[in-house]
Amino acid sequence: MESALPAAGFLYWVGAGTVAYLALRISCSLFMALRVWGLGHEPGVGPGLGEWAVVTGSTDGIGKSYAEELAKCGMKLVLISRSQDKLNQVSSEIREKYKVETRTIAVDFASEDIYDKIKTSLAGLKIGVLVNNVGMSYEYPEYFLEIPDLDNAIKKLININILSVCKMTRLVLPGMVERSKGTILNISSASGMRPTPLLTIYSATKAFVDFFSRCLHEEYRSKGIFVQSVLPYFVATKMTKIRKPTLQTPSPEMFVKSAMKTVGWKSRTNGYPVHSLMGTIISTLPSWLYFNVIMRSVKSTRARYLRKAKKN
């Protein structure tokens, strides 16, 4: 009995320490959330960084919403996306609504030979903000070897999700360093925070974006450059196939309005209060529990998609 007392005491302090650590972590997260989202402060972007902002994947969803928020801050815009028709429409809407100059570049980020065209189009512009938003996911969760047209999917996911971020940063960063100011916002995903099976390539490419952003921020923050990794959970966009916004799945406009408040404050963010809370909770789960939960979720989504496809 006496020999069991020290062991019981040890386990008590381990448990108490764990609870205290989790309580402290959650308290810090809540304090930061209050500081960022609850208290008003000036936007972390604007023409003072450089009069132009560049947004990739800017004709829909999160990218379009970032373009609009940057226009509200008085920044001129270079909108880059695949469809010239959509670019013309969004460009005209933003120009008329916010009274800012806009330019467009129509390219397909699935290709590798587009960057000379982009470089030429951006030449001479003082770019203060770059939003690397363009991205591609799966049509539905699927096992790696069963992904339709796997070789092409691998190439497109890497080119769009990884190569575009590196190449666009390569084009824009030198001017920011020369002026000792600038902001780069890289749109990753919550699936890049922890591995997401059945979305394996997507999850891995978004993890790259997160790591790339965090490393770049540490390399260049002393030179006046702020680099942010944005890791949203589900947002009601065409890519997620969620049509109706909810508290948990906000509209792109709501998400970006919230995420913009974190610029200059947090170099890594889920961008939205509810998503931030979800990220804090999920990050505390042990791996075995996390993988058990996530596998059930993606398998269920896969099964629903395949049943629907079979009926059609």
Side-chain angles (χ1 to χ4, degrees):
M1 179 66 72
E2 291 182 1
S3 62
L5 291 177
F10 173 75
L11 292 175
Y12 168 81
W13 287 111
V14 168
T18 301
V19 170
Y21 167 76
L22 293 175
L24 179 62
R25 186 169 176 174
I26 293 172
S27 297
C28 288
S29 297
L30 290 174
F31 173 77
M32 179 57 73
L34 175 63
R35 184 182 180 188
V36 172
W37 289 301
L39 304 176
H41 53 79
E42 291 296 315
V45 297
L49 295 173
E51 58 186 346
W52 288 90
V54 177
V55 185
T56 67
S58 52
T59 55
D60 291 298
I62 290 175
K64 182 181 178 183
S65 294
Y66 265 106
E68 291 175 338
E69 287 296 322
L70 291 166
K72 286 180 185 178
C73 295
M75 300 196 75
K76 301 175 182 179
L77 293 173
V78 179
L79 307 174
I80 308 179
S81 196
R82 183 174 55 182
S83 169
Q84 186 64 62
D85 289 341
K86 286 186 177 181
L87 282 168
N88 291 342
Q89 180 182 346
V90 173
S91 175
S92 177
E93 289 174 2
I94 291 176
R95 188 168 56 248
E96 292 176 10
K97 185 174 182 179
Y98 301 105
K99 311 303 179 186
V100 296
E101 184 179 347
T102 60
R103 298 186 185 184
T104 65
I105 306 173
V107 293
D108 185 353
F109 282 101
S111 301
E112 300 178 27
D113 58 355
I114 61 174
Y115 295 98
D116 285 341
K117 176 182 178 179
I118 297 174
K119 181 178 180 180
T120 300
S121 300
L122 297 182
L125 301 183
K126 291 184 179 179
I127 299 170
V129 178
L130 168 63
V131 183
N132 280 312
N133 166 74
V134 67
M136 173 187 173
S137 186
Y138 289 21
E139 182 69 17
Y140 64 96
E142 185 56 281
Y143 292 91
F144 178 72
L145 291 179
E146 297 177 33
I147 296 172
D149 194 9
L150 177 57
D151 288 338
N152 188 46
I154 291 171
K155 182 178 179 180
K156 289 179 70 174
L157 280 158
I158 291 174
N159 282 353
I160 294 173
N161 293 356
I162 293 180
L163 184 66
S164 70
V165 174
C166 296
K167 286 285 195 175
M168 289 303 302
T169 301
R170 171 69 183 89
L171 293 179
V172 171
L173 185 58
M176 293 181 173
V177 172
E178 185 179 340
R179 298 191 314 276
S180 298
K181 54 186 175 182
T183 293
I184 298 175
L185 308 177
N186 292 328
I187 312 307
S188 179
S189 166
S191 67
M193 297 175 67
R194 298 191 76 166
T196 307
L198 275 70
L199 292 174
T200 300
I201 310 172
Y202 178 74
S203 177
T205 58
K206 288 303 184 178
F208 173 90
V209 174
D210 182 38
F211 273 51
F212 178 80
S213 305
R214 292 158 69 186
C215 291
L216 205 67
H217 180 72
E218 293 303 321
E219 288 181 19
Y220 287 96
R221 64 176 179 170
S222 63
K223 300 181 186 297
I225 314 301
F226 177 82
V227 183
Q228 184 181 67
S229 174
V230 185
L231 304 120
Y233 283 85
F234 287 118
V235 177
T237 64
K238 288 182 180 179
M239 189 171 78
T240 62
K241 299 181 179 64
I242 298 173
R243 297 180 181 179
K244 187 176 180 181
T246 65
L247 180 63
Q248 185 175 329
T249 56
S251 67
E253 296 82 6
M254 184 181 297
F255 174 81
V256 172
K257 195 168 187 178
S258 173
M260 286 285 283
K261 294 180 181 179
T262 69
V263 176
W265 290 78
K266 300 183 71 175
S267 61
R268 189 173 189 247
T269 179
N270 294 112
Y272 178 67
V274 176
H275 290 186
S276 182
L277 179 61
M278 291 167 62
T280 300
I281 294 171
I282 291 174
S283 67
T284 63
L285 297 179
S287 292
W288 67 267
L289 179 57
Y290 167 77
F291 280 119
N292 184 277
V293 171
I294 200 68
M295 280 297 286
R296 289 189 180 195
S297 175
V298 292
K299 281 182 178 180
S300 175
T301 302
R302 176 180 182 269
R304 286 197 305 272
Y305 178 91
L306 293 177
R307 281 197 301 269
K308 186 176 180 181
K310 191 174 181 179
K311 288 180 181 178
N312 296 337

